[in-house]
């Protein structure tokens, strides 16, 4: 089975009749209408028991050869009036297409159906399709699948399997058509599902397996890596993957220690890395000495990442390590304004998670499957991310934020608090906590605000919108 590289966009092809839509009632109505005009009593139930082959083949056993072309044309003319309204989407069809969208994929429909009528079904049922190609059958579907860059083709018929195999893509079969599991497996399909309701879970598992495999293969080819390791879910997973691919002797973890790294994060991060058997390096970084970092404009992260890579790259070279790798994931790559990613790229850092197409959710799922304690760790951005843009970043401000967050956690102990940010807006602190905990009991809220003011903020308020990762970036939009 040939797969497209995981870095290429996901494209999933679907058959239409009996895969996405239940064509039987509409097809039957058209056969009855056509038979009435031609004076032919078509065996409707038999003819609709295994839809999929071209219309000419279905009519061949019931009409003289010379009548078939005109009968086929008339069938297509009758079709819009008899078949569109009566044909529903099959269970799970919309959810299957939505699953592709969740993975930022494209949907193509490749069908043997007359294109205009296929389009009518798609439009009538509101199927979310990027491209539709009709009048292609069996191995003929391969050309369209290859041209559109599909890596998966979903169908219900053995001839759909033929098309997928000829295109060199993963063949997924559903049992909603007339073919049996045994017939589909004998034809060579890779996967058989009862119906499309099972497709989203299969797709999630398939892409996760494929992308983790691509990650491990990429890391193995690298030879050795120094992981820029913060202790968060992404860099912890990358570190664990590097150990799996290369062994601990060819991997090291480096955590830049500075005023922006919360003290509470340091020991757990070190303990996890050491549990993998890798060397743990904790060089000091001095981003605060960079004017652009202190100025805290929208590009602050550029100067932070530049400092980190400027420190780690020589360390890697001294230790004979081939690459410095960051935990940038596929979501980060499309998240908009990320100057830190640019700074790392300019300094030659590699991004194996992003290159493998692994999203944040997939990293957490894989981490859980591997038994990593970081799989559900809340996001923990650096302390400078709490300071509103335009306000100078100083060690005093960062220490005040860290103390304030510790005080809030203490005040909310036992509430199930997971996510917390104390945003420094100058003379006022904005406290963001999990929305599920809001609104706080008035007495509890008062104790939270008193605790933050006692740390040194003249004023404080709990944000009624709750925790929002990167909320200060709203000022950049």
């Amino acid at each position: 089975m040939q797969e497209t590289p995981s870095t290429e966009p996901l494209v999933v092809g679907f058959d239409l009749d009996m895969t996405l839509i239940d064509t039987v009632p509409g097809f039957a109505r058209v056969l009855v209408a056509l038979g009435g005009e031609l004076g032919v009593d078509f065996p409707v139930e038999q003819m609709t028991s295994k839809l999929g082959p071209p219309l000419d083949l279905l009519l061949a056993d019931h009409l003289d050869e010379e009548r078939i072309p005109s009968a086929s044309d008339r069938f297509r003319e009758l079709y819009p009036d008899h078949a569109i309204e009566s044909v529903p989407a099959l269970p799970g069809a919309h959810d299957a297409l939505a699953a592709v969208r969740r993975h930022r994929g494209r949907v193509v429909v490749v069908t043997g159906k007359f294109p205009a009528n296929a389009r009518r079904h798609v439009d009538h049922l509101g199927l979310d399709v990027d491209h539709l190609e009709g009048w292609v059958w069996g191995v003929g579907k391969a050309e369209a699948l290859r041209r559109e860059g599909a890596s998966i083709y979903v169908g219900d018929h053995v001839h759909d399997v033929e098309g997928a195999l000829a295109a060199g893509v993963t063949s997924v079969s559903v049992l909603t058509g007339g073919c049996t599991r045994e017939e589909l497996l004998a034809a060579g399909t890779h996967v058989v599902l009862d119906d499309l309701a099972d497709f989203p879970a299969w797709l999630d598992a398939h892409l996760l397996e494929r992308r983790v495999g691509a990650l491990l293969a990429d890391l193995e080819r690298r030879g050795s890596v120094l992981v820029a390791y913060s202790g968060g879910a992404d860099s912890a997973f990358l570190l664990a993957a590097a150990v799996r691919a290369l062994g601990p002797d060819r991997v090291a973890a480096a955590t830049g220690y500075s005023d922006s790294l919360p003290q509470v994060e340091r020991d757990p991060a070190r303990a996890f890395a050491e549990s993998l058997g890798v060397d743990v390096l904790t060089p000091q970084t001095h981003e605060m000495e960079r004017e652009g970092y202190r100025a805290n404009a929208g590009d602050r992260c550029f100067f932070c990442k530049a400092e980190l890579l400027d420190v780690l790259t020589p360390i890697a070279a001294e230790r004979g390590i081939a690459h410095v790798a960051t935990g940038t994931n596929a979501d980060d790559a499309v998240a908009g304004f990320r100057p830190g990613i640019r700074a790392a790229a300019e300094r030659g850092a590699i991004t194996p998670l992003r290159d493998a197409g692994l999203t944040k959710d997939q990293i957490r799922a894989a981490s859980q499957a591997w038994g990593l304690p970081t799989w559900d760790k809340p996001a923990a951005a650096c302390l400078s991310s709490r300071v509103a843009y335009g306000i100078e970043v100083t060690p005093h401000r960062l220490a005040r934020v860290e103390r304030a967050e510790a005080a809030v956690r203490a005040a909310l102990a036992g509430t199930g608090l997971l996510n917390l940010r104390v945003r420094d807006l100058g003379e006022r602190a904005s406290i963001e906590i999990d929305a599920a905990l809001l609104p706080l009991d008035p007495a509890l809220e008062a104790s939270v605000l008193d605790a933050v003011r006692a740390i040194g903020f003249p004023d404080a308020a709990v944000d009624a919108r709750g925790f929002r990762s990167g909320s200060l970036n709203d000022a950049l939009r």
Side-chain angles (χ1 to χ4, degrees):
M1 173 175 54
Q2 179 181 342
E3 295 262 14
T4 57
S6 61
T7 51
E8 293 185 6
L10 173 66
V11 180
V12 180
F14 289 85
D15 178 46
L16 186 62
D17 291 336
M18 306 312 299
T19 298
L20 288 171
I21 64 175
D22 182 2
T23 325
V24 170
F27 204 94
R29 288 176 182 231
V30 181
L31 283 176
V32 171
L34 179 65
E37 290 187 6
L38 300 179
V40 176
D41 185 16
F42 289 114
V44 173
E45 185 174 349
Q46 174 192 333
M47 294 177 70
T48 57
S49 64
K50 219 172 212 184
L51 292 178
L55 178 61
D56 291 1
L57 295 180
L58 290 174
L59 296 176
D61 292 336
H62 311 287
L63 294 174
D64 294 335
E65 185 176 352
E66 64 273 10
R67 300 181 69 189
I68 291 176
S70 60
S72 297
D73 289 342
R74 183 57 181 156
F75 181 98
R76 298 182 187 102
E77 292 171 358
L78 292 168
Y79 196 94
D81 292 334
H82 294 273
I84 304 302
E85 296 287 340
S86 61
V87 168
L90 282 163
H94 288 284
D95 289 342
L97 303 186
V100 178
R101 294 291 186 223
R102 281 198 303 276
H103 290 285
R104 304 190 189 98
R106 293 181 64 243
V107 173
V108 299
V109 168
V110 182
T111 174
K113 202 173 201 69
F114 180 55
N117 288 334
R119 172 54 63 186
R120 290 184 176 99
H121 282 299
V122 167
D123 292 345
H124 173 68
L125 295 171
L127 297 174
D128 188 10
V129 171
D130 295 294
H131 175 76
L132 185 151
E133 188 133 352
W135 263 358
V136 284
W137 168 248
V139 296
K141 294 186 175 185
E143 181 183 351
L145 293 172
R146 284 194 294 262
R147 184 187 341 109
E148 294 301 316
S151 60
I152 299 168
Y153 185 60
V154 186
D156 64 281
H157 200 280
V158 293
H159 293 300
D160 296 326
V161 178
E162 292 175 356
L165 298 182
V169 305
T170 300
S171 170
V172 178
S173 297
V174 288
L175 297 176
T176 44
C179 292
T180 66
R181 182 183 300 271
E182 292 71 25
E183 288 172 329
L184 294 163
L185 289 171
T189 193
H190 301 111
V191 181
V192 179
L193 306 175
D194 287 340
D195 54 38
L196 285 179
D198 295 333
F199 180 78
W202 174 84
L203 182 64
D204 289 347
H206 170 74
L207 292 178
L208 181 59
E209 178 182 8
R210 176 186 175 199
R211 291 171 180 175
V212 169
L215 170 67
L216 295 173
D218 178 27
L219 288 168
E220 185 176 10
R221 287 192 297 269
R222 299 292 184 177
S224 57
V225 293
L226 174 66
V227 175
Y229 171 63
S230 68
D234 295 339
S235 62
F237 177 71
L238 175 59
L239 185 62
V243 170
R244 287 190 176 214
L246 295 166
D249 294 341
R250 292 190 287 166
V251 179
T255 305
Y257 276 16
S258 72
D259 292 319
S260 66
L261 178 66
Q263 292 287 337
V264 71
E265 296 288 333
R266 300 184 183 193
D267 288 346
R270 186 182 191 104
F272 172 79
E274 288 177 342
S275 74
L276 298 175
V278 303
D279 287 345
V280 182
L281 314 176
T282 56
Q284 290 290 323
T285 57
H286 304 282
E287 56 268 27
M288 207 72 70
E289 297 178 6
R290 299 195 179 219
E291 182 178 351
Y293 183 86
R294 293 194 310 275
N296 195 24
D299 59 352
R300 181 197 67 238
C301 291
F302 178 91
F303 299 98
C304 178
K305 194 68 74 174
E307 171 69 15
L308 178 63
L309 269 297
D310 286 348
V311 169
L312 297 190
T313 301
I315 292 175
E318 290 168 6
R319 297 173 69 93
I321 297 176
H323 300 279
V324 177
T326 72
T328 300
N329 63 48
D331 289 332
D332 296 331
V334 297
F337 186 66
R338 291 296 178 96
I341 293 177
R342 177 168 60 88
E346 288 177 357
R347 286 156 177 80
I350 62 172
T351 55
L353 300 177
R354 183 183 69 176
D355 296 344
L358 283 158
T359 65
K360 184 67 143 184
D361 286 345
Q362 289 177 324
I363 290 165
R364 291 193 183 280
S367 297
Q368 184 178 24
W370 288 3
L372 305 185
T374 51
W375 75 270
D376 62 347
K377 183 180 179 182
C382 78
L383 291 171
S384 297
S385 69
R386 276 77 149 169
V387 182
Y389 291 113
I391 297 173
E392 184 181 11
V393 174
T394 66
H396 165 72
R397 286 192 179 279
L398 300 184
R400 183 172 68 169
V401 165
E402 184 168 14
R403 292 196 308 273
E405 291 191 352
V408 173
R409 286 200 180 276
L412 294 179
T415 63
L417 175 69
L418 291 175
N419 293 291
L420 165 66
R421 296 288 186 273
V422 173
R423 309 289 189 189
D424 185 340
L425 306 183
E427 295 305 302
R428 181 169 64 89
S430 176
I431 303 162
E432 297 179 10
I433 64 174
D434 300 291
L437 300 178
L438 298 173
L440 289 174
D441 174 83
L444 185 57
E445 180 171 344
S447 69
V448 167
L449 298 179
D450 288 344
V452 172
R453 293 188 186 105
I455 295 301
F457 281 98
D459 192 17
V462 175
D463 191 328
R465 295 168 293 181
F467 169 78
R468 291 165 297 125
S469 181
S471 63
L472 291 179
N473 290 337
D474 291 346
L476 302 177
R477 299 187 177 102

